[in-house]
Amino acid sequence: MRADPTPVQTRFNLMIPAKAPFLPKCLQKDFLPRLVPRSPGDRGLPLSPGTLSSTWTKPTLGTDRRAPTLGAVEAFRLLYFTYLHEGFLSLWRGNSATMVRVVPYAAIQFSAHEEYKRVLGRYYGFHGEALPPWPRLLAGALAGTTAASITYPLDLVRARMAVTPKEMYSNIFQVFIRISREEGLKTLYHGFTPTVLGVIPYAGLSFFTYETLKSLHREYSGHRQPYPFERMIFGACAGIIGQSASYPLDVVRRRMQTAGVTGHPRTSIACTLRAIVREEGLVRGLYKGLSMNWLKGPIAVGISFTTFDLMQILLRRLQS
């Protein structure tokens, strides 16, 4: 069967045929309706740019900002056609822009976590030992909250750039300037409350799971340090648990962050939550796109934790 000669142009300037006979049927079904804007007010599905973990997971991060509108299969269709029409390297387009936010966030979070572990260890009397479960959970939650509080404006700016056309904001500095002038500095922290409420279980459970698995490994295997691939597995488990627990609040956060440019009214957390459930349903509205996050989240978190641990071991050896 020949492909339909009438192409459809998406926001990525891709000329995509209506049907692609070289793809399995499961990858062709309902592909274009999810890519093409439904109305003049719909901006289509933008690619979000993708630190070490962000770089390696960039292809699966491509639809991060609008992830609630995509499932895993649909996201792979999108990635395939992006690769087909713009090349392999286009899957990492904008990666440097994401690093502007990811690098300081990760640096602050991991540094804060080590400091909170020391403080809580002294407080509970566990000097140089693994923390018990409750302080372990608290250290992770505090580290995530600290990082989110400092870098939140960068996260909001990235969200704005992801759902607006290039003509509206040419660079990160212009986003800061326009938001400050037109909406006020206070807007830079709009949606901060659901972010913190989501970060507390996400970071708390992620660090708790990772540290617990390392402790169990040390106890039952007899090895003082796990191998790198084992660290990756522990980090992946931490990512799945943390992401699943905080996902609904992440959906609310995205809606509140982009309210000023997507036509949604600026409301409270409760009103935004009710609006999402009313418009899209409970499960579909609050958990739509979770399967995509189960693919990229474990990889990103696994790489992050493993890289931090290995770099920490290397620096300690160099110092000694």
Side-chain angles (χ1 to χ4, degrees):
M1 183 190 299
R2 292 183 58 191
D4 189 333
T6 306
V8 178
Q9 187 170 9
T10 70
R11 185 186 169 196
F12 327 111
N13 297 320
L14 302 180
M15 302 304 290
I16 299 176
K19 289 187 178 181
F22 43 82
L23 284 180
K25 289 184 179 180
C26 64
L27 294 180
Q28 294 183 27
K29 183 180 178 183
D30 297 331
F31 176 67
L32 289 176
R34 302 303 301 274
L35 280 177
V36 182
R38 294 177 178 83
S39 65
D42 189 348
R43 303 178 188 275
L45 298 179
L47 277 177
S48 168
T51 103
L52 186 58
S53 64
S54 294
T55 301
W56 283 107
T57 59
K58 177 60 179 72
T60 55
L61 280 165
T63 53
D64 183 58
R65 285 289 140 206
R66 291 284 296 273
T69 63
L70 282 177
V73 176
E74 293 160 315
F76 278 117
R77 294 181 201 140
L78 175 56
L79 293 172
Y80 179 81
F81 277 104
T82 303
Y83 158 73
L84 187 67
H85 291 269
E86 296 193 4
F88 180 71
L89 292 179
S90 68
L91 297 175
W92 276 266
R93 183 174 52 204
N95 184 49
S96 57
T98 292
M99 287 186 181
V100 171
R101 183 252 174 188
V102 170
V103 169
Y105 181 89
I108 293 169
Q109 179 175 241
F110 283 108
S111 300
H113 182 250
E114 291 301 303
E115 191 60 34
Y116 285 128
K117 280 201 304 183
R118 278 193 289 269
V119 171
L120 292 171
R122 287 196 299 267
Y123 182 80
Y124 287 100
F126 289 88
H127 299 281
E129 301 176 27
L131 290 173
W134 167 243
R136 196 180 302 162
L137 182 67
L138 182 59
L142 289 172
T145 302
T146 302
S149 301
I150 296 173
T151 63
Y152 184 78
L154 291 171
D155 190 42
L156 182 137
V157 165
R158 188 180 63 150
R160 284 290 185 93
M161 293 184 73
V163 297
T164 54
K166 293 180 180 179
E167 298 76 22
M168 188 168 181
Y169 300 119
S170 58
N171 55 59
I172 291 175
F173 298 106
Q174 189 180 17
V175 184
F176 275 112
I177 293 170
R178 287 192 58 176
I179 290 177
S180 302
R181 287 178 179 174
E182 299 172 8
E183 304 176 51
L185 288 171
K186 195 174 169 184
T187 306
L188 291 173
Y189 276 87
H190 186 70
F192 176 68
T193 303
T195 298
V196 171
L197 292 177
V199 161
I200 289 173
Y202 175 75
L205 288 172
S206 295
F207 279 104
F208 171 81
T209 302
Y210 184 70
E211 295 290 331
T212 300
L213 290 174
K214 284 203 304 181
S215 179
L216 291 173
H217 175 275
R218 186 164 51 248
E219 181 181 345
Y220 290 102
S221 71
H223 296 118
R224 190 163 176 245
Q225 295 288 349
Y227 293 109
F229 76 90
E230 292 174 322
R231 296 180 190 274
M232 284 283 293
I233 295 173
F234 298 161
C237 294
I240 290 175
I241 294 172
Q243 202 120 52
S244 301
S246 63
Y247 195 78
L249 283 167
D250 197 43
V251 173
V252 174
R253 171 181 66 87
R254 289 194 195 109
R255 173 72 73 92
M256 294 181 72
Q257 283 179 333
T258 59
V261 292
T262 56
H264 294 107
R266 285 203 179 95
T267 57
S268 64
I269 299 174
C271 291
T272 304
L273 192 62
R274 282 197 298 268
I276 293 173
V277 173
R278 184 177 61 252
E279 294 168 10
E280 305 179 51
L282 180 63
V283 176
R284 183 170 175 77
L286 296 179
Y287 287 94
K288 184 169 54 178
L290 180 59
S291 58
M292 188 65 236
N293 279 266
W294 278 344
L295 290 177
K296 63 108 175 168
I299 300 172
V301 177
I303 292 174
S304 296
F305 278 121
T306 303
T307 303
F308 174 76
D309 275 0
L310 295 180
M311 289 301 296
Q312 190 179 47
I313 293 170
L314 177 61
L315 290 173
R316 283 174 176 169
R317 287 179 179 175
L318 290 175
Q319 285 179 345
S320 61

